[in-house]
Amino acid sequence: MDPYRYRPSSAHNAPFWTSNQGAPVWNNNSSLTVGERDPVLLEDYHLVEKLAQFDRERIPERVVHARGTVAKGFFEVTHDISHLTCADFLRAPGVQTPVIVRFSTVIHERGSPETLRDPRGFAVKFYTTEGNFDLVGNNIPVFFIRDGIKFPDVIHALKPNPKTHIQEAWRIMDFFSHVPESCHMFTFLFDDWGIPSDFRHIEGFGVHTFKFINREGKETYCKFHWKPTCGLKFLLDEEAVIVGGTNHSHATKDLYDAIASGNYPEWKLCIQTMDPADEDRFDFDPLDDTKIWPENLFPLQPVGRMVLNSNIDNFFNENEQLAFCPGVIVPGIYYTDDKMFQTRVFSYSDTQRHRLGPNYLLLPVNAPKCSHHNNHHDGFMNFMHRDEERVITKENNFNQPGERFRSWPPDRQDRFIRRFVDALCDVKVTDEIRSVWISYWSQCDQDLGQRLVKRLNMKSSM
């Protein structure tokens, strides 16, 4: 019997019902009781296991972006930017990289309507040959704040009132009256832009300024833009009421049905670039995430295309357990000193460790698809198989200890030998252990070994 043949998968379903342990279950409809009308027995292992599993089906909801949908596909380079970055997945036109994309609303709960006025998350995980790259953005090119220390306060203001659990405009207006940099974001959120018709007709933005680094080490600032080939569409307030009242999951269904029918959505990836030497030439800070880079000064440059051609196989495994972090980058792409960017680098992975556990990167949807290796061990739910042994070929264990011993004056050598003889004369030290140490010290220095033997023989005869 191969103990690793039947890994957990519906592909290995037994023809009969079993417990989680694999034992046959003869009755999945009735509890075990003392008699026909008597109490249920605690020894009904299948009942206890079934209820305990059910009680633990839900994991903590995302604090933000709880409501979302996911699709898979590929990214293909169409234009050469190898002069800007040494990132391998961008090395040449024609290179394809698998991706998984999560679209989301930001503020409300996992089951909330997809027609609410809210930013939309647009997060792309590239499974590159150099590890994962997470481009975690929104459908709006700017954000409310420029310093991450305000982020919890922003979200608290936008979330429902903790007393009534109703989102209230006065709380939003009150808080943001103290945040003048939020005006730019509100020109999108309170515009028609604030309610996209669905996920296929939205743009995506990296929001932050990134760094490209090429093979010569030259740095270039860049911003990422996703442009849908099918254009932009929005819902007016009255339309949103009708659509949301008809189907509160309309955007999820629209994306799923489009892919299932072969009408694959596609986005063009474009970038804007800037020489860091020029960052002080403008009336805004290029690293300020509440600002855009005017396209007349920094024209969009095409890079590639993303096609979503596959729906996910399991909502929980590939949506609820899917984890993004802006800190997940690859060689050739790096962070800038954008303060909001810097705080997101920490916060996102931290929330995943809370939601999913410290080994969330072992989950198939989050794990890199390239060979990888580190020395991270154990922790909750760790199933990494490790059987490697690393051997240093040039051990040379005895040369340097011998040199150090010979560098000492005679009295210091005597004190060292006396201390080691005392240690080897401990009553629990066996003759075998003493022989090993005499062998070691003799290889370090022949005279040291002989002096140890002499001292040990003298001590044992006393």
Side-chain angles (χ1 to χ4, degrees), residues 438-451:
I438 290 170
S439 170
Y440 285 169
W441 291 123
S442 297
Q443 293 178 74
C444 292
D445 183 271
Q446 189 173 4
D447 179 61
L448 170 58
Q450 292 172 352
R451 291 164 68 179

Side-chain angles (χ1 to χ4, degrees), residues 60-294:
E61 182 178 282
R62 291 171 173 88
V63 179
V64 288
H65 298 275
R67 169 64 130 136
T69 192
V70 174
K72 298 181 284 188
F74 66 88
F75 172 77
E76 181 181 21
V77 179
T78 57
H79 292 72
D80 185 9
I81 60 167
S82 58
H83 60 292
L84 295 173
T85 176
C86 61
D88 187 68
F89 79 103
L90 299 173
R91 67 184 180 273
V95 175
Q96 288 193 357
T97 301
V99 299
I100 188 165
V101 181
R102 188 172 190 269
F103 304 100
S104 57
T105 57
V106 175
I107 296 302
H108 294 278
E109 298 90 343
R110 187 159 41 196
S112 58
E114 293 177 318
T115 49
L116 298 177
R117 185 169 298 279
D118 200 7
R120 283 359 183 222
F122 194 125
V124 183
K125 186 183 293 291
F126 298 79
Y127 298 110
T128 88
T129 56
E130 297 179 305
N132 294 347
F133 169 47
D134 288 357
L135 184 52
V136 192
N138 288 327
N139 73 319
I140 296 175
V142 294
F143 197 58
F144 292 103
I145 51 173
R146 61 173 65 97
D147 190 324
I149 198 169
K150 295 181 182 178
F151 185 74
D153 309 317
V154 167
I155 300 305
H156 293 158
L158 292 166
K159 287 279 190 181
N161 187 319
K163 181 178 181 179
T164 64
H165 202 65
I166 297 171
Q167 189 181 41
E168 296 172 336
W170 73 266
R171 300 179 72 247
I172 299 171
M173 294 296 101
D174 181 20
F175 175 80
F176 286 104
S177 68
H178 304 281
V179 187
E181 67 266 31
S182 65
C183 290
H184 201 174
M185 180 74 170
F186 279 112
T187 64
F188 288 90
L189 187 59
F190 277 40
D191 177 40
D192 296 346
W193 197 286
I195 308 179
S197 67
D198 52 67
F199 294 128
R200 291 184 300 124
H201 294 88
I202 65 172
E203 292 188 57
F205 302 90
V207 181
H208 302 294
T209 300
F210 291 73
K211 281 182 188 174
F212 275 154
I213 306 173
N214 68 12
R215 296 190 181 279
E216 289 71 45
K218 177 178 171 54
E219 296 181 352
T220 303
Y221 287 158
C222 77
K223 279 185 172 284
F224 293 102
H225 299 251
W226 295 106
K227 300 293 184 181
T229 57
C230 59
L232 296 172
K233 287 186 180 178
F234 309 108
L235 295 176
L236 299 180
D237 303 70
E238 299 79 8
E239 295 171 318
V241 171
I242 296 171
V243 172
T246 303
N247 181 0
H248 79 299
S249 299
H250 80 285
T252 293
K253 186 176 188 304
D254 174 83
L255 182 65
Y256 187 95
D257 289 349
I259 294 173
S261 66
N263 182 23
Y264 302 139
E266 180 176 334
W267 285 261
K268 304 295 185 185
L269 178 63
C270 299
I271 58 172
Q272 293 174 290
T273 60
M274 179 192 299
D275 187 332
D278 296 334
E279 64 177 299
D280 292 327
R281 294 177 53 192
F282 311 99
D283 65 353
F284 64 92
D285 186 340
L287 306 187
D288 183 348
D289 69 343
T290 69
K291 305 293 188 294
I292 62 168
W293 292 2

Side-chain angles (χ1 to χ4, degrees), residues 6 19 40 82 103 119 135 137 201 220 223 260 311 403 408 417 433:
Y6 296 109
S19 69
V40 172
S82 58
F103 304 100
L135 184 52
H201 294 88
T220 303
K223 279 185 172 284
N311 285 310
E403 290 178 349
W408 295 336
I417 292 171
I433 293 174

